[in-house]
Amino acid sequence: MSGTGQAGTGVRRYLSWYWFPIIGSIVWIATLLSLLITWIADGSPYYESMDPSGQTIAYISDIGADYLKPLFITGCSITSVCFVLSLFGARWLRHRGRILPNTSTTQRVFSIVAIVGAIIGSVGLILLAIFDTRRYTTLHRVFLTVFCGGVLISALGTVLEYWRLQRNHRTSRAINISMWTKFIFFVIEFALAIAFGILLRNRNHNAGAAVEWVLAILFTGYLLSFNFDLLPAARSYTGQFKDVELTPPVSSHY
């Protein structure tokens, strides 16, 4: 290791990309808990945006459209920025060889797809908070769809990138664990997103609200999972992982 690399290692333990998923997940879960606890503490009130025909469980956006809207916008904005930077950080660190690098153009394409999906989803999350469900119902639902779609595209891109990556790094237990963690998240979130859409369409709002809360809480774990990917960079130096021996791929065109 070079002298410069050794000097920078200590600093990166405190200033590194791995802080973004930590900050994002903390802010997101804190925002959700603040909304939920406030709603419960207020006696589970009925909000103007709720369906008058039997809805008793508030959607996240119902609470976020009331006097806690500034908190909701702030939480969504910080989470969105951290989400995008977590994915961009992984791409940059792989390019720099500070974590296991991409070994093919296909992997890089999937990585870029994941980043683009994250950007789309993040823009949707910020806009759905700004255009709240009480005043801008149609726009809010459009941006909610954009958020869910963007996150799912991002998750799929990440899973495919890691699937191809682990073909050349089969001895890396970390890559394998991360791939399966994100794959499980994608499957569960995709299934719940479909269920949420059906429940919303059928105006089954209590069940739909419950599913939405579960979806949002699970997103915390997904975002935090990137900390596991980025953490090695806190102690690595540029180019360290570029010399890692690759496992021969199944066929040469990979």
Side-chain angles (χ1 to χ4, degrees):
M1 180 190 295
S2 65
T4 303
Q6 289 175 329
T9 299
V11 176
R12 288 196 297 268
R13 293 178 184 177
Y14 303 99
L15 300 173
S16 188
W17 290 96
Y18 76 83
W19 279 107
F20 289 114
I22 293 177
I23 294 171
S25 58
I26 290 175
V27 169
W28 182 241
I29 195 65
T31 301
L32 294 178
L33 290 177
S34 296
L35 294 173
L36 181 60
I37 292 171
T38 299
W39 177 64
I40 294 173
D42 286 346
S44 304
Y46 170 83
Y47 294 108
E48 183 182 334
S49 56
M50 294 172 67
D51 191 325
S53 60
Q55 183 183 352
T56 57
I57 302 176
Y59 287 102
I60 297 171
S61 51
D62 289 326
I63 308 172
D66 208 67
Y67 65 89
L68 289 180
K69 182 173 179 177
L71 170 67
F72 190 40
I73 293 175
T74 302
C76 289
S77 299
I78 295 174
T79 301
S80 296
V81 171
C82 289
F83 180 37
V84 172
L85 288 177
S86 296
L87 284 157
F88 180 79
R91 178 74 195 92
W92 175 250
L93 293 172
R94 292 197 194 285
H95 173 71
R96 299 283 289 173
R98 285 179 54 194
I99 57 178
L100 289 176
N102 292 124
T103 56
S104 71
T105 300
T106 302
Q107 292 171 18
R108 297 183 185 92
V109 169
F110 285 141
S111 176
I112 292 172
V113 168
I115 293 172
V116 172
I119 293 173
I120 293 172
S122 295
V123 170
L125 180 59
I126 295 171
L127 291 178
L128 73 83
I130 295 172
F131 295 95
D132 62 77
T133 188
R134 186 175 70 184
R135 301 172 184 85
Y136 313 96
T137 305
T138 301
L139 275 176
H140 177 82
R141 292 187 177 181
V142 168
F143 292 130
L144 177 60
T145 302
V146 170
F147 167 59
C148 292
V151 171
L152 288 173
I153 290 172
S154 179
L156 180 60
T158 300
V159 169
L160 291 174
E161 178 198 2
Y162 281 45
W163 172 62
R164 298 299 292 264
L165 190 63
Q166 62 89 29
R167 295 170 71 93
N168 291 114
H169 297 290
R170 295 182 186 179
T171 57
S172 174
R173 186 166 175 264
I175 286 291
N176 198 46
I177 292 174
S178 187
M179 181 193 70
W180 283 108
T181 299
K182 291 173 175 60
F183 175 72
I184 291 171
F185 164 85
F186 172 77
V187 171
I188 294 175
E189 291 282 286
F190 184 70
L192 288 176
I194 292 176
F196 175 70
I198 293 173
L199 291 169
L200 191 63
R201 185 181 183 85
N202 293 335
R203 303 177 67 84
N204 190 342
H205 293 297
N206 283 331
V211 170
E212 183 187 50
W213 282 99
V214 173
L215 274 165
I217 292 171
L218 284 176
F219 181 67
T220 308
Y222 177 66
L223 180 55
L224 189 59
S225 73
F226 286 96
N227 173 256
F228 181 73
D229 304 323
L230 301 174
L231 192 57
R235 295 179 174 82
S236 68
Y237 56 89
T238 301
Q240 178 176 340
F241 288 91
K242 287 188 176 180
D243 296 327
V244 174
E245 184 176 354
L246 303 180
T247 303
V250 174
S251 59
S252 58
H253 69 274
Y254 293 135

